Every structure is written in structure tokens, then in C-alpha cells.
Amino acid sequence: MKYSWVMICALSACGGGGGGGGGGSGGVDPRLARLDIYAAQNLRVLGDPAIGVPAMPMMPDASLPDGGMVAFVGSAAIRVEVPDAPIVLFGDATVTLDFDLGTSGGRVTNVFGETTGGNIADYTGEVILSGGAPAADLKVGYAGTLNGGGTTLVFDGMLAGDLLGEPLGALAIADLEAAIETDGVPQSGTIIVVAEKTAPPPDPPTITP
């Protein structure tokens, strides 16, 4: 699988890290298999010019839904520039845009990735996403705490990006200059969320008496 630039950038710091974090006796850590799922989605949404796959187009303002709620499911890639040992993390991301209430929100959960010691670990906690009225140029705040490998990461900032597709099909939002506290010490970092629109639940069956 050819990874998008997002994955290439992040994985460049953790290549070989899987050998130390609990993948078993020489086996592949099953958590790393999730990267293929994330990368396939990134390819659909962000494209890859190197193999001729175009990115989804930015959604025009005229295509913004008039109402209702739209849910998205995807992934988050996080990189914390700890000196000499960058921390690279991945997790599941959900985003909901409520065009009736004029709010946006979501969360990043099930995070895993490198520790400062170079191993692979699960990180407890979550990062909450919250914002105002959805727009084609989307802005969503984020805040939360993740703990893993003896390290505490504290997040507080703003993601900005675009709704994609015509009709609306995905979103890509990021903070490329994130300030992330690592055990109380501010570090620079990057947070990228890519997610696709999910199908609405089916209507309940009609029961005829």
C-alpha cells in the first residue's frame, strides 16, 4: 500500500519502532495493521499525485447542506516534536456537523503509537473536538489529554481545513503548528484529521397491522 504524504511524514519517525512495543515474538503488532485502513482512506480523500490519484475537490459554498446532521468517521495523525525522539501517534476520529443547531464536534480515541522510549503503546484518554457553525472552510477547536508510555500529552488548539466533495463526502482539518504539552513542557507538533461521511442509519421497518 502506498501511503499518502501524511503517513509518509509520520512514519518516517517510527520505522522500526514496532519491534519493541509488544508485537509478540517477532510478529507484527496488530495495531499497526490499522495504518493500512487509515492510509486507504487518506488516498481516497487526499489523493496521491505520484500515482495519479486526485484529491477530492473542495466543496463549493453553494453545496453546503441547508440543515440536518452529517457524521464523519476517519483517523487522526499526531506528531509531537520532542527533541531527539519525536512521538508519532494515530487514532480513530469521529466528527459530527449539525447544520440545524450550528455546531460541530467529535473526538479522537483509541490512540496508539510511539513512546519517548521508541516502543509502541496504547494511549489512554481522548481529544475532544468542538466548534461553531459548520462551513466549507471548517474550523474546529480541540482539547484533551493522552497518557501512554509514562508520558502525558495535553492538547489545546484549533484545527482548520475544508469540507470536500460535491456533494459533501469528506473533510480534512489540521493544525500544522500545534503547541502540545509533553509532561508539562510545551512542544511543537502537528495534528491532522481526515474523515469520510458515513451513511445514515436505515429507517426502521414499517410494521403494517
Side-chain angles (χ1 to χ4, degrees), residues 127 141-145 153-158 175 177-181 191:
V127 178
Y142 64 88
T145 302
L153 305 175
V154 179
F155 300 82
D156 188 6
M158 180 72 68
D175 185 354
E177 298 180 349
I180 303 170
E181 281 194 10
I191 304 172

Side-chain angles (χ1 to χ4, degrees), residues 3-94:
Y3 291 90
S4 72
W5 70 268
V6 175
M7 292 298 178
I8 292 172
C9 175
L11 288 173
S12 64
C14 62
S25 55
V28 177
D29 191 316
R31 291 168 294 194
L32 299 184
R34 291 164 57 191
L35 294 179
D36 283 335
I37 298 173
Y38 298 156
Q41 183 179 61
N42 278 8
L43 185 62
R44 292 191 298 270
V45 175
L46 302 177
D48 186 342
I51 59 174
V53 178
M56 294 180 65
M58 289 187 291
M59 188 196 71
D61 290 339
S63 296
L64 198 69
D66 294 328
M69 183 180 295
V70 183
F72 300 80
V73 174
S75 66
I78 301 169
R79 181 180 172 108
V80 187
E81 300 297 342
V82 177
D84 301 322
I87 298 173
V88 180
L89 306 176
F90 299 96
D92 299 329
T94 58

